[in-house]
Amino acid sequence: AGHGGGDAEMADADKPKERVTDKVNKEIMEQLKDMGFPELRAERGLWLTGNSSLEAAVNWLAEHSEDADIDEPLMVAPE
């Protein structure tokens, strides 16, 4: 008894993860960096808004600039 949802989470943590660097829109990434956003923040903002637009990424970054993990590489499971 006592086994449940926690096990799946642990197993997931063991899977290889990769930075989203190669998955984000390079053009928008460059624009964000030109605006002064650090690369890791630009990458995170772009990825978490679905690479949709410069405006979406900038808005996300403005809202999340104080997040504790904002300057950590965003790691996702490879597709």
Side-chain angles (χ1 to χ4, degrees):
H3 295 297
D7 290 345
E9 237 171 77
M10 290 297 289
D12 196 44
D14 293 336
K15 289 184 182 160
K17 292 259 201 298
E18 59 189 21
R19 266 182 72 183
V20 297
T21 314
D22 296 332
K23 302 170 187 270
V24 295
N25 182 311
K26 300 281 185 278
E27 200 174 301
I28 302 176
M29 181 77 173
E30 285 305 313
Q31 291 175 309
L32 286 166
K33 291 198 302 193
D34 288 346
M35 293 170 73
F37 289 105
E39 186 168 343
L40 287 173
R41 289 188 181 209
E43 199 173 271
R44 183 176 286 267
L46 253 181
W47 178 256
L48 294 175
T49 56
N51 277 315
S52 53
S53 70
L54 178 64
E55 185 180 1
V58 168
N59 288 340
W60 188 94
L61 286 160
E63 289 170 24
H64 294 268
S65 62
E66 301 301 317
D67 288 8
D69 61 355
I70 190 82
D71 291 312
E72 292 176 19
L74 184 60
M75 307 296 281
V76 296
E79 289 173 12

